[in-house]
Amino acid sequence: GFAHETISRLEYRSAYDPHSALHAIAPPLSTAAATRHYVMGGALEAELRAELAAEMSLPADGDPAVPPQDLVVGGCHSLNPIDDPARGHTARSYGVPTTLFRAVDSEDGHVCALRRVDGSLRATGEEVSMVARPWLGVQHPNIVELRGAFVSDEMEEGTPRAFFVHDFCAGAVTLESAIFVRIEAEAPSEAELWSLALQLLSAAFALHSMGMSCRGMEPARILLTGGQRVRLHGSVVLDLTRPDTRPLADQQRDDLASLGRLLVNLACRSPGAASSKALPRSLELMAASCSPDLVHLANTLARGTTMAEVMPLVSARLFDHAIAVQAQADALREAHRANLEASRLARLLIKLGFVNERPELAGDPSWAETGDRYLLQLLRDAIFHQVDADGAPIVNYDHVVSALNKLDVGADQHVLLHGRDERASLMVVSYRDMRSLLERTFAELVAAQQASPLEHAAADGAQGLALGDGGNFNAR
């Protein structure tokens, strides 16, 4: 078949799936307390779990639109179409029909978004490379990052198609679907409109500074993702399907004008509210529910302006936005610190699991029952197998977490170990000594693994569990 021409096969990261639950255009949380509640109170965890579920969801059985799961296109497999079937083809957004797939990179296993350009358009690898090259270096929190582009006929032999590989923003939905398609949707609040305007202006400012344009702010190409984030995507596809030869200044002015029209359309919840005939009346309606500052910004943008003229209109709001973003960063740091503690405890438990009750090592069936390993078994009993005076089990989470933390840091505090022999001998040892025993015993296991020629490849994964390797825990 036609050899696919790849210009970039970089690391693919996270994602988007229009079939997932809708995200509101959430404004930055106004107080540090509200942000901490969002991050630490379970809402963020639920959001992340939903995104993971979206990444791992399987296509419906027997769906004819799903390509064979063993098909590999440009190094991507497990293709699953994720376009909204209610919208039909996407020719209105890109000039030609396109199909979007969720896929998995064969090299690193990361999920990516793979967009195929359909229709009669035929592009060579050189043409795709030329339009994609400027976008490959664009990294911005409000722009879905392009990871690669190529031409291949692996999906339709003899019919080469252009493909674009983007980050996959799990659980995302287009602004068009969230506001204009859903019948029950309400018009965004003013706070939500300011948040959207500031984020898209940030994306436009970054692209304009690099001598590029956004190619408009169409709601079908704006994603609402987790973390109160708005992201522009798909502009590179337009550079291939609908190239704009006008002067760059005109293209950039159109970016801002389309943002102004978008704000008016959202405030009125009508995709035609910002037409030239309806704009004056729509601004009056907008003024009934929005502040004069927001109405003035939308009007200035919609009638055509430059970034230099827009910045004074949003400068005061940028301070509020920056405060909210820093509050969220502080809350995320606090959450990461809590997770860091949990990951260290998980490493300790995994190490103890490798050592305790091991049937044999190097042909010695009593290895786990003798020497240092026996003391580690007694420590495990002291942490998890305590009983009260009547012999009933004690289930105390605080005791377990406290003991594991002391073991992790090698505290000088002593712990009483009860022997398993008939005399029920007692031993007093320090957590510092037990930590050294665990390090030494686990190192013995790793050495035994490395001594086996068949296990060399797995040794690095076990070494990654070493105590004191920071907060990163990778189970391979």
Side-chain angles (χ1 to χ4, degrees):
F2 188 93
H4 68 271
E5 301 174 60
T6 305
I7 63 172
S8 176
R9 300 300 300 165
L10 303 179
E11 177 186 12
Y12 303 137
R13 296 183 308 212
S14 65
Y16 90 75
D17 188 344
H19 295 158
S20 301
L22 301 179
H23 289 283
I25 315 172
L29 299 170
S30 56
T31 66
T35 303
R36 282 195 298 273
H37 179 73
Y38 165 74
V39 174
M40 307 293 288
L44 177 60
E45 180 179 351
E47 192 174 279
L48 294 176
R49 288 183 182 275
E51 291 179 2
L52 288 173
E55 284 192 13
M56 296 185 292
S57 62
L58 298 176
D61 292 337
D63 188 346
V66 179
Q69 293 301 287
D70 58 351
L71 175 67
V72 179
V73 180
C76 300
H77 65 86
S78 302
L79 275 63
N80 182 24
I82 55 175
D83 277 316
D84 186 352
R87 294 189 65 244
H89 286 298
T90 54
R92 181 162 49 86
S93 299
Y94 296 104
V96 299
T98 66
T99 304
L100 184 64
F101 300 91
R102 186 191 65 201
V104 178
D105 178 31
S106 301
E107 296 182 1
D108 54 25
H110 291 145
V111 180
C112 59
L114 181 68
R115 185 175 294 277
R116 182 187 66 196
V117 178
D118 301 322
S120 59
L121 178 67
R122 296 292 182 269
T124 65
E126 183 179 356
E127 291 171 332
V128 172
S129 174
M130 183 173 61
V131 300
R133 186 171 290 111
W135 291 95
L136 288 171
V138 176
Q139 294 182 329
H140 190 277
N142 299 116
I143 300 174
V144 180
E145 187 173 349
L146 178 69
R147 289 295 175 178
F150 57 90
V151 173
S152 172
D153 72 342
E154 291 166 304
M155 187 169 287
E156 300 177 62
E157 188 171 354
T159 306
R161 303 283 188 187
F163 291 85
F164 294 90
V165 185
H166 285 87
D167 281 353
F168 181 78
C169 304
V173 67
T174 65
L175 185 60
E176 178 185 60
S177 297
I179 304 299
F180 298 122
V181 174
R182 295 176 63 220
I183 298 176
E184 69 276 15
E186 299 179 356
S189 67
E190 176 167 352
E192 291 168 342
L193 290 173
W194 273 113
S195 176
L196 182 143
L198 292 174
Q199 292 186 61
L200 292 180
L201 279 173
S202 175
F205 178 79
L207 291 174
H208 293 183
S209 300
M210 291 185 284
M212 304 168 66
S213 75
C214 305
R215 300 304 309 272
M217 300 282 188
E218 296 182 20
R221 294 193 299 105
I222 296 173
L223 298 182
L224 309 180
T225 69
Q228 299 87 47
R229 192 67 58 80
V230 179
R231 303 178 196 265
L232 183 68
H233 83 107
S235 301
V236 63
V237 181
L238 282 173
D239 285 344
L240 177 69
T241 60
R242 292 192 306 193
D244 194 339
T245 59
R246 294 178 302 159
L248 180 61
D250 292 344
Q251 298 181 43
Q252 294 178 347
R253 186 177 291 268
D254 278 355
D255 289 342
L256 301 180
S258 65
L259 175 56
R261 293 192 295 269
L262 176 64
L263 293 175
V264 175
N265 291 339
L266 290 173
C268 299
R269 200 175 170 268
S270 170
S275 65
S276 57
K277 183 179 296 187
L279 182 60
R281 175 58 179 162
S282 297
L283 289 172
E284 294 178 6
L285 294 174
M286 186 177 177
S289 58
C290 299
S291 67
D293 288 346
L294 183 58
V295 176
H296 180 50
L297 173 65
N299 185 30
T300 302
L301 289 168
R303 297 187 182 281
T305 185
T306 63
M307 190 65 71
E309 295 172 344
V310 171
M311 295 307 292
L313 304 181
V314 300
S315 57
R317 301 282 176 169
L318 287 174
F319 287 108
D320 296 335
H321 193 79
I323 292 172
V325 169
Q326 291 180 66
Q328 188 176 49
D330 289 342
L332 290 172
R333 182 181 178 87
E334 183 178 347
H336 179 69
R337 183 174 181 176
N339 288 331
L340 177 64
E341 178 181 349
S343 68
R344 296 183 70 85
L345 300 187
R347 285 197 305 277
L348 284 174
L349 291 173
I350 291 173
K351 288 185 174 184
L352 287 170
F354 277 128
V355 174
N356 288 332
E357 315 295 348
R358 176 170 287 277
E360 66 172 1
L361 182 70
D364 181 5
S366 63
W367 179 83
E369 307 291 336
T370 58
D372 296 344
R373 284 80 62 187
Y374 179 66
L375 292 178
L376 291 173
Q377 283 194 26
L378 298 185
L379 177 65
R380 188 268 315 273
D381 293 343
I383 295 175
F384 293 101
H385 299 165
Q386 288 196 342
V387 296
D388 61 18
D390 298 325
I394 297 177
V395 181
N396 188 330
Y397 285 84
D398 291 338
H399 163 71
V400 171
V401 172
S402 175
L404 290 175
N405 276 322
K406 294 172 185 176
L407 178 62
D408 179 45
V409 300
D412 288 326
Q413 184 175 340
H414 290 77
V415 58
L416 180 64
L417 304 182
H418 294 260
R420 292 180 172 182
D421 52 22
E422 295 179 355
R423 293 175 295 178
S425 56
L426 301 178
M427 288 165 279
V428 178
V429 296
S430 69
Y431 283 102
R432 179 186 297 276
D433 292 336
M434 296 308 298
R435 182 180 188 273
S436 298
L437 291 181
L438 181 58
E439 284 183 324
R440 186 163 59 246
T441 303
F442 188 75
E444 185 178 347
L445 283 177
V446 173
Q449 174 180 298
Q450 291 175 331
S452 173
L454 297 179
E455 300 294 341
H456 282 167
D460 292 340
Q463 287 178 319
L465 292 172
L467 286 170
D469 60 351
N472 297 323
F473 167 60
N474 295 309
R476 296 181 181 271

